[in-house]
Amino acid sequence: MIRFIHAADLHLDSPFKGLKKMHPSLFDAIHQSTFASFKKIVTTAIEKKTDFVLLCGDIYDGENQSVKAQSFFREQMKRLQAAHIPVYLLHGNHDFMGRDSLRIQMPDNVSIFKTEVETQLLTTASQERVAISGFSYPSRWVKERMINHYPSRKRAVDYHIGMLHGFFEGSASKEDVYAPFSMADLLERSYDYWALGHIHKREVLNQQPIVAYSGNTQGRNPNESGDKGVYLVELEKGSEPTMTFIETAPIVWKEQQLSLKGLSSLQSVYAEIEGCLERASEAKKTVLLSIRFDDYDCLSKDVLERIKEGDLLEGFNQQQSDKGIYLYHLSLNPLKEQFLFRYDEAMQASFEKSGHAFREKDYLQTILQDLFKHPSMRGRFSELEQDEELAETIIQSARNLLFEDIAFEEGDETS
């Protein structure tokens, strides 16, 4: 029987863009969270007496791997070395190979895959023979089907494991398509386990053999919500494989929907938020909470302005939570009945037609093209130009803003 850790997408020293308005102590905790998560992974590997550790790409957050991140990683590798635990590591699209002169050398227990597919051989303390196949990215843009270079299962070993940082064809993930592969590609090689990286949401794609994304080890933005961590895997000949998910992230992102039905005052909304914060807290974790309001049609225009302008959120952000929960975003969901021109069918139809036009991909991109041509956007956020979720958010936000302004103006006139 062999026991190992399958981890991926550590993104050590991630900058966590867009969070610097938080309280300095909280921002520092968030920035350190990728390090804390990996330290827990190493501790788990030692405590569970694993035979080896697999790290499936994007160890660091960028091509220019900071000395801080490399030094920390090296110290953790030395902890594993002291426990006689080997590590098999490949680099992905974020931390691709290159700039060797800027790399800190790792201890001897760390095997780093080269840029061509290769197979490493290992004999465990219990004399189990293991083959591990994988490759590291030579550059960020690996579009080739690298799976075609993976060998078939070695007959002279007890277990053969594949490591691959890539995109599963047919996946609904919004991650970029790097080193694509199909399930047929993987099964054809008759390996005992496929350890995948690149997709930040953990998912088991196949049971026999197990094909799995472990997900990233610490959520870095609101789209990476939920528990994050690694898989502890046990393989034994003649028995069903076992996988245990182990949470490692010290910080969790959450989103809650909160109904304000019948509420009209600032005090009543404030009290509802306090209750929501109480319910969302978790022991031994820091929770970053986003609240989206529903059924707020009874709120006065003044209270709505306090929400939209960020005044209400700022009031909560001034507080230091003793329960480890922080509110980072407040927003209004579109009201369910959005008939802006209920007495003018032609105008309402024209409004709906305009909304459908904006959902045409080419049309919206044409409108936004000047924005994405700006050097700041082109250099740092170019991938957002193709982000369908962002496009839908823009449209919904514009629609909601129009509804609020027109509907509440009409309400003021008739009151």
Side-chain angles (χ1 to χ4, degrees):
M1 186 267 286
I2 60 172
R3 179 186 295 123
F4 60 91
I5 291 283
H6 166 198
D9 300 282
L10 311 179
H11 289 275
L12 295 176
D13 210 14
S14 175
F16 288 88
K17 297 173 183 176
L19 299 179
K20 291 186 178 180
K21 290 184 179 180
M22 289 185 171
H23 191 279
S25 63
L26 175 59
F27 179 76
D28 183 63
I30 295 171
H31 187 70
Q32 296 299 323
S33 61
T34 55
F35 297 100
S37 179
F38 187 59
K39 190 172 183 178
K40 184 175 180 180
I41 292 168
V42 171
T43 299
T44 299
I46 295 171
E47 290 177 347
K48 298 295 183 179
K49 298 181 179 178
T50 57
D51 293 300
F52 51 91
V53 172
L54 305 180
L55 300 177
C56 301
D58 288 356
I59 311 306
Y60 308 103
D61 192 64
E63 173 191 2
N64 298 318
Q65 299 152 20
S66 70
V67 176
K68 173 185 175 182
Q70 291 189 70
S71 179
F72 168 81
F73 186 76
R74 185 173 185 272
E75 289 305 307
Q76 298 310 305
M77 294 300 97
K78 289 170 69 175
R79 288 179 62 202
L80 292 172
Q81 183 183 40
H84 306 290
I85 298 175
V87 178
Y88 295 88
L89 177 160
L90 54 82
H91 289 280
N93 57 292
H94 273 271
D95 62 346
F96 56 87
M97 301 285 276
R99 299 199 176 190
D100 289 341
S101 62
L102 295 178
R103 290 183 184 274
I104 295 177
Q105 186 173 356
M106 292 297 143
D108 293 339
N109 64 316
V110 180
S111 297
I112 301 175
F113 285 92
K114 297 181 175 62
T115 57
E116 299 293 335
V117 174
E118 60 176 325
T119 300
Q120 304 270 0
L121 298 176
L122 163 72
T123 300
T124 68
S126 58
Q127 299 305 301
E128 300 270 29
R129 296 164 299 172
V130 184
I132 304 172
S133 298
F135 80 98
S136 289
Y137 281 45
S139 63
R140 177 163 185 163
W141 309 103
V142 176
K143 302 295 186 180
E144 183 183 354
R145 294 177 60 82
M146 295 297 293
I147 185 61
N148 294 336
H149 302 290
Y150 279 69
S152 297
R153 190 184 196 283
K154 283 188 173 293
R155 295 182 180 180
V157 298
D158 297 300
Y159 305 96
H160 197 144
I161 296 171
M163 295 176 66
L164 177 56
H165 191 89
F167 184 88
F168 174 49
E169 293 173 332
S171 169
S173 171
K174 294 182 173 62
E175 299 286 349
D176 290 324
V177 180
Y178 296 120
F181 61 90
S182 69
M183 184 58 66
D185 292 328
L186 304 187
L187 299 182
E188 183 181 320
R189 278 143 182 87
S190 301
Y191 291 3
D192 298 286
Y193 186 92
W194 277 98
L196 305 177
H198 179 51
I199 304 303
H200 287 186
K201 181 180 179 181
R202 75 176 187 274
E203 184 177 8
V204 177
L205 303 178
N206 194 70
Q207 290 288 350
Q208 282 289 356
I210 292 177
V211 177
Y213 283 107
S214 60
N216 57 339
T217 57
Q218 169 61 62
R220 302 172 303 144
N221 59 61
N223 295 326
E224 297 179 350
S225 60
D227 296 325
K228 299 291 184 177
V230 300
Y231 282 125
L232 176 66
V233 184
E234 292 184 350
L235 301 180
E236 185 172 8
K237 286 187 173 296
S239 301
E240 292 289 324
T242 62
M243 296 177 68
T244 304
F245 175 71
I246 298 177
E247 297 177 25
T248 62
I251 293 176
V252 177
W253 300 83
K254 285 187 176 182
E255 180 177 286
Q256 298 285 337
Q257 307 292 325
L258 186 60
S259 173
L260 302 181
K261 191 175 182 64
L263 303 185
S264 59
S265 68
L266 180 63
Q267 171 55 40
S268 60
V269 175
Y270 196 94
E272 285 294 314
I273 294 173
E274 286 186 316
C276 190
L277 287 168
E278 182 77 24
R279 293 188 297 272
S281 63
E282 290 190 27
K284 298 181 180 180
K285 286 185 181 178
T286 297
V287 176
L288 301 180
L289 181 66
S290 168
I291 297 177
R292 299 180 65 88
F293 296 125
D294 283 315
D295 309 316
Y296 49 86
D297 45 305
C298 290
L299 290 183
S300 70
K301 191 170 183 179
D302 289 339
V303 175
L304 281 169
E305 288 300 317
R306 294 297 178 96
I307 296 172
K308 290 190 290 184
E309 292 177 1
D311 187 33
L312 182 56
L313 177 63
E314 186 176 351
F316 277 94
N317 280 345
Q318 289 176 352
Q319 305 174 28
Q320 280 293 297
S321 172
D322 58 355
K323 295 186 177 179
I325 184 163
Y326 298 85
L327 186 64
Y328 74 90
H329 186 62
L330 290 174
S331 61
L332 301 166
N333 279 329
L335 288 171
K336 295 179 177 63
E337 295 294 330
Q338 286 197 319
F339 296 102
L340 300 188
F341 309 99
R342 61 182 67 244
Y343 304 114
D344 190 332
E345 292 184 5
M347 184 65 77
Q348 181 65 33
S350 177
F351 178 77
E352 296 295 339
K353 184 178 179 181
S354 297
H356 291 308
F358 273 98
R359 283 186 168 83
E360 293 293 331
K361 188 174 181 181
D362 292 342
Y363 187 73
L364 185 61
Q365 282 187 346
T366 299
I367 293 174
L368 297 177
Q369 63 182 355
D370 287 342
L371 172 65
F372 285 103
K373 284 180 181 177
H374 190 278
S376 296
M377 293 296 293
R378 187 174 64 248
R380 299 173 60 193
F381 305 107
S382 59
E383 70 278 3
L384 293 180
E385 189 170 6
Q386 304 295 328
D387 192 319
E388 294 180 3
E389 187 173 334
L390 174 63
E392 182 61 26
T393 299
I394 292 172
I395 294 169
Q396 286 290 359
S397 297
R399 183 184 177 91
N400 199 32
L401 185 60
L402 281 169
F403 178 80
E404 290 166 17
D405 286 347
I406 296 174
F408 282 103
E409 282 181 10
E410 288 182 349
D412 290 343
E413 291 173 0
T414 56
S415 60

